[in-house]
Amino acid sequence: MSAGPASAHTTRAVAGRAPDVFERGGWTPMRQNADREAVDFAIVGTGAGGATLAAKLAEAGFTVVAFDAGPYWRPLEDFASDETEQGKLFWTDERLTGGDDPVELGANNSGRGVGGSTVHFSMVSLRFRPEWFKARSRLGYGTDWPLGYDQIAPYYDEVERALCVSGPIRYPWGPRRRRYPYREHPLNAPGELLARGARAMGIKWSSTPLATVSAPRGKSPPCVYRGFCIHGCSTNAKQSALIVWIPRALKAGAEVRDLAMVGRIEVDAAGLAAGVHYHRDGEWRFQRARNVVVAGYAIETPRLLLNSACPAFPQGLANRSGLVGTHLMVHGGNAAWGTFEEEVRWNKGPPNMAVSEHWNYEDRGKDFHGGYAFMCQGPLPREWARTVAGTRGLWGEGLHAEMEKYNHMAGLGPVCESDAQARNRVELADEVDSYGLRIPRVTYAFSDNDRRIQRHAVAYLSETLRAAGGRDIWSSDDTSHLMGSCRMGDDPATSVVDADGRSWDIRNLWICDGSLFCTSGGVNPSLTIQALACRVGDRIAAMARRGEL
């Protein structure tokens, strides 16, 4: 392995302390573990899956070291109200993407830094429709997960409490459940327009359950509706993994290593994971571990497993089935946009403050399987100019004239379910990065059903905008969340891990992130990733008590 790049940042989680994300210049105590001493769990990645699991395992009494390739952010000091500056939050390392429908990678679906992409996620906190966990048996498409809604529902409750999700007293879709911990946020103008359009179309709508607090919570102030949510919250109202699960993990005795790029998992003579090789402070080091958890998300997780190929596992770790990297899924986001007579100012507040899941729960009158939720939108000016220029081909005076309408624009964006197809995959390219590691090559093509969903969404959302009073309606194509690539299952021949995220091939190697998904559903995946992580944490603790680790 090569020496790696010179870092633009300095490691902060060192010398027995880590940044206190709630205090400018503050520090919090942190346990430190020696590389030569085997810890119970080495966790690669500190996003929705890794940070949540780190907290759960540390609180269960395990020794934990969690690695992240990116910096340890101090939101109160590091985050600016500047779209260009905040590009530092995204994973923009070189990746190759191709196929019939190449997936855009970076700002819209991956993060680099402690907290992962939750630092810049839109905070939408929706549960899966129960039938999606048994899509083949209950709905006739896709595949069944190895667990059902009843097994994950208690963990949805746990995560919603941990994040203090702000939502309506009664959410109109799905099984009855306890009310959200915090009251719903008042709607902004784009949310009111979605509500107006939904009423005109005769469908239900709701304020969106969001992981940003509507009232003070500990050291987190209530949301001030500044609108920079997907570029990093500088007030800590957003309940990201960085300010929720990571502090819990540290308090319970976990260690976090920032700017620590894990390049390979070591396997011992017995065929078990022995630890991880990681690059930090200009050199490669090796941390011994009794168990290794990969939580790098749907691209970096299979990349690490494939880059860890060795004589005992020449096709990569956990890959005897040949399924590592396959069945990648991405949500389609084919949005509709319109101009309104009244002033909207859609950048005020979180971008997705109102939602309808009508087409997730209505199975009649559609020419596709699966579904989609749709939400109001609130792009900031630079992001909007990029959409306008790229989609409509406007430049110069034409772009200037269109941007003058900014405060009168509104849009509706879907989260379109996509099929899990073996041909959509993450592989290793021949090219290497500055660490000497082979970079990922992503190949993607939508299915015919995916395209039918997207066409339906564009037509329906356009009609809804017109019903709300919009004119000059047009649409754009986009993609968002990544899922799959290391699916869980009941059969080692058709899955990478079992229902607990445990590798079929290497019993002390685990996966805990969105790559576990068997189906994509038509909602944002973050809440489900965290619920799965909570469940995996409890299952591991129970196994340890029975002597099954």
Side-chain angles (χ1 to χ4, degrees):
M1 296 181 182
S2 65
S7 174
H9 304 276
T10 303
T11 50
R12 286 173 166 171
V14 292
R17 66 181 190 177
D20 183 338
V21 294
F22 294 103
E23 299 289 341
R24 289 180 176 272
W27 299 94
T28 188
M30 181 185 71
R31 176 175 179 168
Q32 278 199 275
N33 301 271
D35 286 341
R36 65 181 180 279
E37 297 174 3
V39 296
D40 293 325
F41 286 88
I43 300 177
V44 184
T46 62
T52 306
L53 184 61
K56 292 284 289 189
L57 293 179
E59 289 170 348
F62 296 103
T63 53
V64 175
V65 176
F67 299 83
D68 201 283
Y72 203 129
W73 302 112
R74 291 183 177 273
L76 301 180
E77 301 164 54
D78 294 334
F79 295 172
S81 297
D82 183 291
E83 294 177 72
T84 302
E85 166 65 17
Q86 291 306 102
K88 64 191 179 186
L89 300 183
F90 311 137
W91 191 301
T92 55
D93 286 8
E94 185 176 7
R95 293 160 164 174
L96 302 183
T97 181
D100 293 345
D101 302 287
V103 178
E104 182 181 357
L105 302 173
N108 60 339
N109 51 31
S110 55
R112 187 183 182 96
V114 177
S117 59
T118 71
V119 175
H120 61 86
F121 79 143
S122 62
M123 308 166 302
V124 175
S125 300
L126 300 176
R127 298 186 179 197
F128 259 41
R129 176 182 172 179
E131 290 86 351
W132 287 338
F133 289 102
K134 301 296 178 183
R136 172 57 58 184
S137 300
R138 302 286 298 278
L139 299 172
Y141 73 92
T143 189
D144 289 348
W145 292 51
L147 47 77
Y149 180 81
D150 290 345
Q151 292 168 275
I152 204 71
Y155 297 103
Y156 276 137
D157 287 339
E158 180 178 349
V159 174
E160 287 165 353
R161 290 194 301 272
L163 302 182
C164 288
V165 171
S166 300
I169 293 175
R170 183 163 296 174
Y171 190 68
W173 298 280
R176 289 183 63 86
R177 25 86 37 80
R178 69 176 69 197
R179 65 176 296 178
Y180 289 100
Y182 274 40
R183 63 167 175 80
E184 63 191 278
H185 291 275
L187 289 185
N188 60 358
E192 295 284 2
L193 291 176
L194 181 147
R196 183 197 301 173
R199 287 192 292 265
M201 298 290 283
I203 65 171
K204 294 182 288 188
W205 68 277
S206 173
S207 61
T208 309
L210 295 173
T212 182
V213 288
S214 57
R217 186 246 178 140
K219 294 182 178 180
S220 288
C223 180
V224 296
Y225 309 119
R226 55 191 286 272
F228 267 80
C229 313
I230 64 171
H231 297 278
C233 178
S234 64
T235 69
N236 279 337
K238 175 187 288 192
Q239 301 299 286
S240 68
L242 176 63
I243 75 159
V244 175
W245 298 111
I246 290 295
R248 277 180 54 172
L250 294 176
K251 184 177 181 181
E255 179 187 355
V256 173
R257 293 185 190 163
D258 56 331
L259 294 172
M261 177 65 180
V262 175
R264 185 166 62 87
I265 300 167
E266 182 77 20
V267 176
D268 64 19
L272 297 176
V276 298
H277 295 271
Y278 68 101
H279 189 276
R280 196 182 197 210
D281 291 333
E283 64 178 352
W284 284 100
R285 298 162 59 177
F286 178 70
Q287 173 65 58
R288 297 182 60 213
R290 299 181 185 89
N291 295 269
V292 173
V293 181
V294 187
Y297 204 29
I299 304 296
E300 293 300 315
T301 285
R303 179 196 183 191
L304 176 59
L305 296 173
L306 296 173
N307 265 322
S308 299
C310 60
F313 300 98
Q315 302 305 313
L317 305 189
N319 198 30
R320 282 178 175 156
S321 65
L323 294 175
V324 167
T326 69
H327 297 90
L328 180 69
M329 297 170 282
V330 60
H331 280 141
N334 306 64
W337 314 97
T339 307
F340 287 78
E341 291 298 329
E342 66 262 45
E343 193 172 66
V344 179
R345 292 190 176 272
W346 56 351
N347 62 307
K348 301 298 183 181
N352 309 129
M353 297 195 78
V355 61
S356 177
E357 283 202 67
H358 175 78
W359 290 109
N360 274 339
Y361 285 84
E362 177 55 71
D363 295 319
R364 300 167 298 175
K366 58 189 187 185
D367 66 345
F368 56 86
H369 59 248
Y372 62 89
F374 66 88
M375 288 158 262
C376 58
Q377 302 297 299
L380 294 177
R382 181 177 179 273
E383 177 190 354
W384 179 239
R386 181 173 176 266
T387 298
V388 172
T391 302
R392 304 183 69 180
L394 297 178
W395 198 250
E397 291 184 4
L399 178 59
H400 186 274
E402 188 66 25
M403 289 301 294
E404 286 184 336
K405 303 176 185 177
Y406 178 78
N407 287 331
H408 290 265
M409 297 298 299
L412 300 175
V415 178
C416 292
E417 189 168 355
S418 64
D419 287 331
Q421 304 176 80
R423 64 174 177 169
N424 291 334
R425 60 194 305 140
V426 180
E427 301 170 292
L428 295 181
D430 293 332
E431 293 86 347
V432 298
D433 65 9
S434 52
Y435 295 101
L437 303 170
R438 292 174 69 185
I439 66 174
R441 180 175 62 244
V442 181
T443 305
Y444 202 87
F446 288 117
S447 70
D448 290 341
N449 188 77
D450 297 342
R451 297 185 191 282
R452 288 194 293 271
I453 293 180
Q454 292 164 18
R455 285 195 296 268
H456 186 281
V458 168
Y460 193 82
L461 300 190
S462 297
E463 189 177 354
T464 303
L465 282 176
R466 290 190 189 95
R471 56 180 172 80
D472 301 330
I473 308 298
W474 55 281
S475 64
S476 64
D477 298 337
D478 198 5
T479 55
S480 54
H481 322 103
L482 300 168
M483 297 141 291
S485 75
C486 291
R487 53 168 39 186
M488 56 167 51
D490 289 321
D491 184 349
T494 58
S495 58
V496 176
V497 298
D498 66 14
D500 301 323
R502 191 176 201 172
S503 163
W504 294 111
D505 302 344
I506 303 173
R507 63 181 176 82
N508 67 338
L509 177 63
W510 312 74
I511 297 174
C512 186
D513 57 24
S515 65
L516 297 174
F517 283 34
C518 303
T519 54
S520 68
V523 296
N524 307 53
S526 179
L527 191 76
T528 301
I529 295 172
Q530 292 171 81
L532 285 172
C534 284
R535 181 181 181 276
V536 169
D538 280 358
R539 295 285 292 171
I540 287 174
M543 291 178 207
R545 290 192 294 270
R546 298 192 299 265
E548 297 175 1
L549 287 188

